[in-house]
mmCIF file of all heavy atoms in Angstrom:
data_model
loop_
_atom_site.group_PDB
_atom_site.id
_atom_site.type_symbol
_atom_site.label_atom_id
_atom_site.label_comp_id
_atom_site.label_asym_id
_atom_site.label_seq_id
_atom_site.Cartn_x
_atom_site.Cartn_y
_atom_site.Cartn_z
ATOM 1 N N THR B 1201 101.384 0.970 50.782
ATOM 2 C CA THR B 1201 99.997 0.457 50.938
ATOM 3 C C THR B 1201 99.130 0.711 49.726
ATOM 4 O O THR B 1201 98.549 -0.217 49.174
ATOM 5 C CB THR B 1201 99.338 1.006 52.207
ATOM 6 O OG1 THR B 1201 99.418 2.423 52.117
ATOM 7 C CG2 THR B 1201 99.998 0.527 53.470
ATOM 8 N N VAL B 1202 99.025 1.987 49.314
ATOM 9 C CA VAL B 1202 98.162 2.335 48.219
ATOM 10 C C VAL B 1202 98.723 1.938 46.857
ATOM 11 O O VAL B 1202 98.045 1.279 46.063
ATOM 12 C CB VAL B 1202 97.823 3.850 48.283
ATOM 13 C CG1 VAL B 1202 96.835 4.208 47.149
ATOM 14 C CG2 VAL B 1202 97.139 4.161 49.632
ATOM 15 N N PHE B 1203 99.933 2.387 46.592
ATOM 16 C CA PHE B 1203 100.537 2.195 45.221
ATOM 17 C C PHE B 1203 101.293 0.868 45.113
ATOM 18 O O PHE B 1203 101.568 0.452 44.038
ATOM 19 C CB PHE B 1203 101.378 3.328 44.875
ATOM 20 C CG PHE B 1203 100.657 4.654 44.725
ATOM 21 C CD1 PHE B 1203 100.646 5.580 45.720
ATOM 22 C CD2 PHE B 1203 99.969 4.908 43.570
ATOM 23 C CE1 PHE B 1203 99.941 6.767 45.539
ATOM 24 C CE2 PHE B 1203 99.210 6.065 43.402
ATOM 25 C CZ PHE B 1203 99.232 7.035 44.450
ATOM 26 N N ASP B 1204 101.627 0.278 46.279
ATOM 27 C CA ASP B 1204 102.351 -0.971 46.308
ATOM 28 C C ASP B 1204 103.603 -0.886 45.425
ATOM 29 O O ASP B 1204 103.888 -1.740 44.530
ATOM 30 C CB ASP B 1204 101.411 -2.107 45.782
ATOM 31 C CG ASP B 1204 101.960 -3.443 46.161
ATOM 32 O OD1 ASP B 1204 102.818 -3.517 47.078
ATOM 33 O OD2 ASP B 1204 101.579 -4.485 45.554
ATOM 34 N N VAL B 1205 104.396 0.150 45.633
ATOM 35 C CA VAL B 1205 105.691 0.289 44.829
ATOM 36 C C VAL B 1205 106.788 0.527 45.892
ATOM 37 O O VAL B 1205 106.521 0.923 47.022
ATOM 38 C CB VAL B 1205 105.577 1.489 43.891
ATOM 39 C CG1 VAL B 1205 104.610 1.208 42.794
ATOM 40 C CG2 VAL B 1205 105.260 2.788 44.608
ATOM 41 N N GLY B 1206 107.965 0.389 45.385
ATOM 42 C CA GLY B 1206 109.161 0.613 46.264
ATOM 43 C C GLY B 1206 109.302 2.102 46.571
ATOM 44 O O GLY B 1206 109.196 2.912 45.666
ATOM 45 N N PHE B 1207 109.609 2.417 47.833
ATOM 46 C CA PHE B 1207 109.722 3.841 48.253
ATOM 47 C C PHE B 1207 111.083 4.333 47.841
ATOM 48 O O PHE B 1207 112.125 3.659 48.003
ATOM 49 C CB PHE B 1207 109.515 3.961 49.689
ATOM 50 C CG PHE B 1207 109.659 5.314 50.271
ATOM 51 C CD1 PHE B 1207 108.901 6.371 49.785
ATOM 52 C CD2 PHE B 1207 110.644 5.596 51.247
ATOM 53 C CE1 PHE B 1207 109.082 7.665 50.288
ATOM 54 C CE2 PHE B 1207 110.870 6.912 51.724
ATOM 55 C CZ PHE B 1207 110.058 7.889 51.256
ATOM 56 N N VAL B 1208 111.097 5.555 47.308
ATOM 57 C CA VAL B 1208 112.392 6.128 46.897
ATOM 58 C C VAL B 1208 112.885 7.045 47.991
ATOM 59 O O VAL B 1208 112.085 7.807 48.547
ATOM 60 C CB VAL B 1208 112.174 7.035 45.592
ATOM 61 C CG1 VAL B 1208 113.519 7.646 45.162
ATOM 62 C CG2 VAL B 1208 111.602 6.193 44.521
ATOM 63 N N LYS B 1209 114.147 6.928 48.230
ATOM 64 C CA LYS B 1209 114.719 7.750 49.327
ATOM 65 C C LYS B 1209 114.605 9.226 48.935
ATOM 66 O O LYS B 1209 114.723 9.607 47.792
ATOM 67 C CB LYS B 1209 116.240 7.469 49.503
ATOM 68 C CG LYS B 1209 116.386 6.232 50.368
ATOM 69 C CD LYS B 1209 117.890 5.964 50.547
ATOM 70 C CE LYS B 1209 118.096 4.548 50.964
ATOM 71 N NZ LYS B 1209 119.386 3.996 50.614
ATOM 72 N N PRO B 1210 114.267 10.123 49.896
ATOM 73 C CA PRO B 1210 114.023 11.495 49.618
ATOM 74 C C PRO B 1210 115.221 12.104 48.929
ATOM 75 O O PRO B 1210 116.355 11.843 49.297
ATOM 76 C CB PRO B 1210 113.775 12.143 50.962
ATOM 77 C CG PRO B 1210 113.792 11.058 51.959
ATOM 78 C CD PRO B 1210 114.122 9.790 51.301
ATOM 79 N N GLY B 1211 114.938 12.991 47.952
ATOM 80 C CA GLY B 1211 116.067 13.577 47.186
ATOM 81 C C GLY B 1211 116.196 15.067 47.494
ATOM 82 O O GLY B 1211 115.733 15.550 48.544
ATOM 83 N N ALA B 1212 116.753 15.740 46.472
ATOM 84 C CA ALA B 1212 117.031 17.181 46.660
ATOM 85 C C ALA B 1212 115.784 18.014 46.833
ATOM 86 O O ALA B 1212 115.835 19.029 47.512
ATOM 87 C CB ALA B 1212 117.847 17.635 45.428
ATOM 88 N N GLU B 1213 114.659 17.572 46.236
ATOM 89 C CA GLU B 1213 113.460 18.412 46.293
ATOM 90 C C GLU B 1213 112.979 18.603 47.731
ATOM 91 O O GLU B 1213 112.663 19.725 48.145
ATOM 92 C CB GLU B 1213 112.298 17.743 45.541
ATOM 93 C CG GLU B 1213 112.464 17.784 44.031
ATOM 94 C CD GLU B 1213 112.922 16.426 43.544
ATOM 95 O OE1 GLU B 1213 113.494 15.675 44.373
ATOM 96 O OE2 GLU B 1213 112.718 16.084 42.363
ATOM 97 N N VAL B 1214 113.048 17.522 48.511
ATOM 98 C CA VAL B 1214 112.589 17.609 49.939
ATOM 99 C C VAL B 1214 113.523 18.591 50.677
ATOM 100 O O VAL B 1214 113.032 19.445 51.477
ATOM 101 C CB VAL B 1214 112.535 16.194 50.589
ATOM 102 C CG1 VAL B 1214 112.221 16.309 52.035
ATOM 103 C CG2 VAL B 1214 111.507 15.352 49.904
ATOM 104 N N LEU B 1215 114.777 18.477 50.404
ATOM 105 C CA LEU B 1215 115.805 19.325 51.029
ATOM 106 C C LEU B 1215 115.503 20.787 50.658
ATOM 107 O O LEU B 1215 115.554 21.711 51.445
ATOM 108 C CB LEU B 1215 117.184 18.939 50.613
ATOM 109 C CG LEU B 1215 118.277 19.183 51.619
ATOM 110 C CD1 LEU B 1215 118.025 18.390 52.922
ATOM 111 C CD2 LEU B 1215 119.624 18.751 51.008
ATOM 112 N N ALA B 1216 115.161 20.962 49.367
ATOM 113 C CA ALA B 1216 114.943 22.284 48.829
ATOM 114 C C ALA B 1216 113.661 22.887 49.433
ATOM 115 O O ALA B 1216 113.690 24.060 49.886
ATOM 116 C CB ALA B 1216 114.774 22.307 47.343
ATOM 117 N N VAL B 1217 112.576 22.078 49.630
ATOM 118 C CA VAL B 1217 111.361 22.554 50.253
ATOM 119 C C VAL B 1217 111.649 22.978 51.652
ATOM 120 O O VAL B 1217 111.213 24.040 52.149
ATOM 121 C CB VAL B 1217 110.225 21.515 50.183
ATOM 122 C CG1 VAL B 1217 108.997 21.960 50.981
ATOM 123 C CG2 VAL B 1217 109.826 21.248 48.731
ATOM 124 N N PHE B 1218 112.396 22.101 52.412
ATOM 125 C CA PHE B 1218 112.778 22.382 53.794
ATOM 126 C C PHE B 1218 113.535 23.710 53.901
ATOM 127 O O PHE B 1218 113.217 24.548 54.708
ATOM 128 C CB PHE B 1218 113.666 21.172 54.257
ATOM 129 C CG PHE B 1218 114.377 21.522 55.566
ATOM 130 C CD1 PHE B 1218 113.687 21.375 56.749
ATOM 131 C CD2 PHE B 1218 115.721 21.857 55.557
ATOM 132 C CE1 PHE B 1218 114.319 21.639 57.935
ATOM 133 C CE2 PHE B 1218 116.354 22.126 56.711
ATOM 134 C CZ PHE B 1218 115.692 21.994 57.913
ATOM 135 N N ALA B 1219 114.511 23.889 52.953
ATOM 136 C CA ALA B 1219 115.275 25.136 53.010
ATOM 137 C C ALA B 1219 114.456 26.351 52.713
ATOM 138 O O ALA B 1219 114.575 27.378 53.411
ATOM 139 C CB ALA B 1219 116.454 24.995 51.997
ATOM 140 N N ILE B 1220 113.589 26.210 51.750
ATOM 141 C CA ILE B 1220 112.703 27.320 51.345
ATOM 142 C C ILE B 1220 111.817 27.786 52.503
ATOM 143 O O ILE B 1220 111.684 28.931 52.796
ATOM 144 C CB ILE B 1220 111.906 27.025 50.044
ATOM 145 C CG1 ILE B 1220 112.877 27.008 48.864
ATOM 146 C CG2 ILE B 1220 110.827 28.089 49.845
ATOM 147 C CD1 ILE B 1220 112.239 26.447 47.570
ATOM 148 N N VAL B 1221 111.250 26.772 53.179
ATOM 149 C CA VAL B 1221 110.339 27.067 54.280
ATOM 150 C C VAL B 1221 111.114 27.770 55.455
ATOM 151 O O VAL B 1221 110.662 28.783 55.936
ATOM 152 C CB VAL B 1221 109.611 25.779 54.772
ATOM 153 C CG1 VAL B 1221 108.913 26.052 56.118
ATOM 154 C CG2 VAL B 1221 108.620 25.309 53.749
ATOM 155 N N ALA B 1222 112.309 27.202 55.731
ATOM 156 C CA ALA B 1222 113.145 27.815 56.745
ATOM 157 C C ALA B 1222 113.499 29.278 56.409
ATOM 158 O O ALA B 1222 113.340 30.163 57.235
ATOM 159 C CB ALA B 1222 114.370 27.006 56.994
ATOM 160 N N LEU B 1223 113.931 29.506 55.161
ATOM 161 C CA LEU B 1223 114.339 30.822 54.728
ATOM 162 C C LEU B 1223 113.198 31.754 54.707
ATOM 163 O O LEU B 1223 113.322 32.944 55.085
ATOM 164 C CB LEU B 1223 115.091 30.772 53.402
ATOM 165 C CG LEU B 1223 116.433 30.095 53.400
ATOM 166 C CD1 LEU B 1223 117.016 30.017 52.063
ATOM 167 C CD2 LEU B 1223 117.439 30.865 54.313
ATOM 168 N N LEU B 1224 112.031 31.312 54.206
ATOM 169 C CA LEU B 1224 110.834 32.147 54.214
ATOM 170 C C LEU B 1224 110.425 32.584 55.596
ATOM 171 O O LEU B 1224 110.104 33.789 55.827
ATOM 172 C CB LEU B 1224 109.675 31.414 53.525
ATOM 173 C CG LEU B 1224 109.450 31.554 52.083
ATOM 174 C CD1 LEU B 1224 108.308 30.662 51.558
ATOM 175 C CD2 LEU B 1224 109.224 32.995 51.707
ATOM 176 N N THR B 1225 110.553 31.657 56.535
ATOM 177 C CA THR B 1225 110.209 31.997 57.866
ATOM 178 C C THR B 1225 111.182 33.039 58.467
ATOM 179 O O THR B 1225 110.739 34.020 59.076
ATOM 180 C CB THR B 1225 110.307 30.731 58.766
ATOM 181 O OG1 THR B 1225 109.589 29.668 58.147
ATOM 182 C CG2 THR B 1225 109.775 30.909 60.157
ATOM 183 N N VAL B 1226 112.464 32.846 58.185
ATOM 184 C CA VAL B 1226 113.424 33.862 58.618
ATOM 185 C C VAL B 1226 113.167 35.226 57.953
ATOM 186 O O VAL B 1226 113.107 36.242 58.642
ATOM 187 C CB VAL B 1226 114.859 33.458 58.283
ATOM 188 C CG1 VAL B 1226 115.880 34.522 58.571
ATOM 189 C CG2 VAL B 1226 115.277 32.152 59.035
ATOM 190 N N GLY B 1227 112.803 35.194 56.656
ATOM 191 C CA GLY B 1227 112.508 36.439 55.909
ATOM 192 C C GLY B 1227 111.330 37.105 56.483
ATOM 193 O O GLY B 1227 111.414 38.343 56.798
ATOM 194 N N VAL B 1228 110.216 36.364 56.650
ATOM 195 C CA VAL B 1228 108.973 37.041 57.144
ATOM 196 C C VAL B 1228 109.194 37.503 58.586
ATOM 197 O O VAL B 1228 108.778 38.618 58.939
ATOM 198 C CB VAL B 1228 107.800 36.016 57.048
ATOM 199 C CG1 VAL B 1228 106.604 36.544 57.799
ATOM 200 C CG2 VAL B 1228 107.466 35.743 55.609
ATOM 201 N N GLY B 1229 109.828 36.702 59.359
ATOM 202 C CA GLY B 1229 110.081 37.065 60.802
ATOM 203 C C GLY B 1229 110.923 38.284 60.837
ATOM 204 O O GLY B 1229 110.611 39.285 61.573
ATOM 205 N N ALA B 1230 111.999 38.357 60.047
ATOM 206 C CA ALA B 1230 112.931 39.492 60.121
ATOM 207 C C ALA B 1230 112.243 40.778 59.629
ATOM 208 O O ALA B 1230 112.381 41.845 60.223
ATOM 209 C CB ALA B 1230 114.177 39.221 59.218
ATOM 210 N N ALA B 1231 111.410 40.624 58.554
ATOM 211 C CA ALA B 1231 110.707 41.812 58.024
ATOM 212 C C ALA B 1231 109.772 42.386 59.035
ATOM 213 O O ALA B 1231 109.663 43.579 59.080
ATOM 214 C CB ALA B 1231 109.974 41.391 56.774
ATOM 215 N N ASN B 1232 109.148 41.533 59.831
ATOM 216 C CA ASN B 1232 108.168 42.005 60.841
ATOM 217 C C ASN B 1232 108.864 42.436 62.147
ATOM 218 O O ASN B 1232 108.165 42.914 63.033
ATOM 219 C CB ASN B 1232 107.113 40.989 61.057
ATOM 220 C CG ASN B 1232 106.128 40.897 59.899
ATOM 221 O OD1 ASN B 1232 105.447 41.816 59.661
ATOM 222 N ND2 ASN B 1232 106.172 39.770 59.303
ATOM 223 N N SER B 1233 110.129 42.169 62.264
ATOM 224 C CA SER B 1233 110.764 42.533 63.472
ATOM 225 C C SER B 1233 111.667 43.776 63.351
ATOM 226 O O SER B 1233 112.425 44.118 64.229
ATOM 227 C CB SER B 1233 111.715 41.365 63.935
ATOM 228 O OG SER B 1233 110.994 40.208 64.051
#
Side-chain angles (χ1 to χ4, degrees):
Chain B
T1201 56
V1202 179
F1203 294 101
D1204 198 18
V1205 294
F1207 177 60
V1208 181
K1209 278 183 200 154
E1213 290 100 338
V1214 175
L1215 210 61
V1217 174
F1218 167 79
I1220 289 169
V1221 169
L1223 289 176
L1224 267 177
T1225 310
V1226 172
V1228 170
N1232 286 296
S1233 304

